[in-house]
Amino acid sequence: GKEKMQEREFEELLWKARNKDKKAVFEIIEMYRPLLLKYAKSSGKFDEDLYQELVCAVLKSIIKFPMKTEKYNNLCTKY
């Protein structure tokens, strides 16, 4: 199996995602996909709209996630 991602590796991935690296954004979404799928259910059925809302929430949190290493004041927050 895949070993647990180190905090530094995740922070690097997050940094890339914040700088509009589509691959990094995709990796983060993939990382949380099982959780997103679990919560994207309405009345026990998969809800595509709810799933999209959850993905958007993840994208917004990428921008807001506190980073230790640098300041990210001038980033565009639109994906």
Side-chain angles (χ1 to χ4, degrees), residues 14-72:
L14 201 53
W15 186 83
K16 288 178 182 176
R18 285 181 174 205
N19 285 281
K20 308 295 176 274
D21 181 325
K22 287 186 173 74
K23 186 175 180 274
V25 171
F26 182 75
E27 271 188 61
I28 291 171
I29 297 297
E30 280 299 300
M31 207 182 291
Y32 290 99
R33 185 180 298 278
L35 200 58
L36 296 173
L37 291 172
K38 180 182 173 184
Y39 288 106
K41 287 183 181 169
S42 180
S43 306
K45 292 181 183 174
F46 178 73
D47 184 329
E48 182 68 38
D49 290 337
L50 184 53
Y51 179 76
Q52 291 300 327
E53 286 292 320
L54 292 170
V55 169
C56 286
V58 170
L59 294 178
K60 287 177 185 167
S61 64
I62 287 171
I63 298 299
K64 294 177 180 170
F65 196 87
M67 302 278 284
K68 294 176 191 166
T69 47
E70 292 181 45
K71 291 180 185 171
Y72 296 91

Side-chain angles (χ1 to χ4, degrees), residues 1-14 23-24 27-28 30-32:
K2 212 173 178 183
E3 63 211 40
K4 194 177 172 190
M5 185 178 277
Q6 298 296 315
E7 187 179 338
R8 207 177 77 220
E9 287 176 66
F10 182 74
E11 201 161 286
E12 192 177 311
L13 190 64
L14 201 53
K23 186 175 180 274
E27 271 188 61
I28 291 171
E30 280 299 300
M31 207 182 291
Y32 290 99

